[in-house]
Amino acid sequence: MKILVTGKSGQVGYELERSLQGLGEIIALDRSQMDLSDLIQVRNVIREIKPDLIVNPAAYTAVDRAETEVELAMRVNGEAPGLMAEEAKKLGAAIIHYSTDYVFDGSKTSPYVETDPTCPINVYGASKLAGEQAIQAIGVPHLILRTSWVYGMRGKNFLLTVLRLAQDRDELRIVGDQHGAPTWCRTISDTTAHIVAQAASASHSQDWWQEKRGLYHLTAQGQTTWAGFTEAILANAVLPKKPTVTAISTQEYPLPAKRPGNSVISCEKLINAFCGLPTWDQALKLCQD
């Protein structure tokens, strides 16, 4: 099986290139080789490689900047996934694509399930929803995996920001009224590899994809707030002196893009279909070890 992985320099793409080893011929490309803002290049690369499976973690992820770069965010997160799905369908291939909790407005008081109505409150969420809908409309064998609060030990993310700020601050004022599940990028890549292994071992691949295709939530289990996440990061970190964490309200930390108050999404569908998932604090400890 020939597996094309996009965005290999990103958090999830970097881990996927490693987690998927042994499951096929992995062709992992970075932005210089496959830029999702260049739709002609995307089409040409796929036609040249002719993959059996496209795994697409590449995305426009600058949530606040997306408010002013609407066209770019929509092209990368909305149009490009649809184009990949079109090309995959022509090849008889499948696609695994990653989306976000930000497709919801956060007003629900319990965890979101896959069938809940979507209502993004920022451009990033709207662009990711457009990508989901584009793939679904093509009718290609697909898995769309929504995740949340992704972090790791490389790139730009909340974990690394906290560790950097903790070096020279006595206090960290962090939002404490947004709830979600911090998810290690390796949890995403390892779960994806587990799913791909199941697909590869199926006696009838088309039947497997027909049965399993669709939308799933993939996050660590449990929930916390950004302030709670910060406290856990500091508890695991080895620092000469640790700052105190003060929980503040969303209103006290205004940003260009609105964030959902509730980003907790239920993963029961994925767990029942494929495999278990770690709790967010277990995964965080492994990441920081």
Side-chain angles (χ1 to χ4, degrees), residues 9 11 152-157 160:
S9 299
Q11 291 183 87
M153 292 305 290
R154 62 190 311 279
K156 293 181 181 179
N157 59 70
L160 295 180

Side-chain angles (χ1 to χ4, degrees), residues 49-184:
I49 293 173
K50 296 182 176 62
D52 301 297
L53 173 65
I54 299 171
V55 183
N56 180 44
Y60 180 107
T61 57
V63 176
D64 290 310
R65 201 163 68 235
E67 295 296 308
T68 54
E69 294 185 347
V70 179
E71 184 181 342
L72 179 59
M74 285 293 183
R75 185 161 67 249
V76 173
N77 292 345
E79 293 177 53
L83 179 63
M84 288 185 220
E86 286 179 4
E87 293 301 318
K89 188 175 183 180
K90 291 173 186 173
L91 291 167
I95 184 168
I96 296 176
H97 175 72
Y98 301 88
S99 190
T100 174
D101 56 289
Y102 280 17
V103 299
F104 300 114
D105 64 11
S107 61
K108 190 180 178 185
T109 55
S110 57
Y112 283 93
V113 296
E114 288 82 354
T115 53
D116 280 329
T118 52
C119 184
I121 56 175
N122 56 45
V123 170
Y124 170 73
S127 70
K128 294 297 288 182
L129 179 59
E132 290 184 9
Q133 293 171 337
I135 291 170
Q136 291 165 331
I138 300 301
V140 66
H142 69 271
L143 297 176
I144 296 170
L145 307 175
R146 288 181 184 148
T147 189
S148 71
W149 295 18
V150 180
Y151 68 87
M153 292 305 290
R154 62 190 311 279
K156 293 181 181 179
N157 59 70
F158 187 81
L159 165 66
L160 295 180
T161 299
V162 167
L163 293 175
R164 175 173 52 81
L165 294 176
Q167 300 289 336
D168 52 19
R169 294 197 186 179
D170 296 324
E171 179 191 28
L172 297 179
R173 293 171 57 80
I174 308 292
V175 171
D177 58 359
Q178 295 172 20
H179 299 263
T183 304
W184 187 18

Side-chain angles (χ1 to χ4, degrees), residues 79 92 145 231 238 241 249:
E79 293 177 53
L145 307 175
E231 289 172 345
V238 178
K241 184 185 175 189
S249 68

Side-chain angles (χ1 to χ4, degrees), residues 242-262:
K242 296 183 181 181
T244 60
V245 179
T246 301
I248 62 172
S249 68
T250 298
Q251 286 70 29
E252 291 175 85
Y253 191 69
L255 291 166
K258 291 181 180 179
R259 265 67 170 180
N262 175 26

Side-chain angles (χ1 to χ4, degrees), residues 210-261:
Q210 191 63 36
E211 179 189 347
K212 302 292 189 182
R213 66 190 291 164
L215 184 63
Y216 296 85
H217 291 168
L218 194 180
T219 68
Q221 296 302 281
Q223 60 176 282
T224 187
T225 64
W226 291 111
F229 186 21
T230 303
E231 289 172 345
I233 292 168
L234 295 177
N236 294 331
V238 178
L239 297 166
K241 184 185 175 189
K242 296 183 181 181
T244 60
V245 179
T246 301
I248 62 172
S249 68
T250 298
Q251 286 70 29
E252 291 175 85
Y253 191 69
L255 291 166
K258 291 181 180 179
R259 265 67 170 180

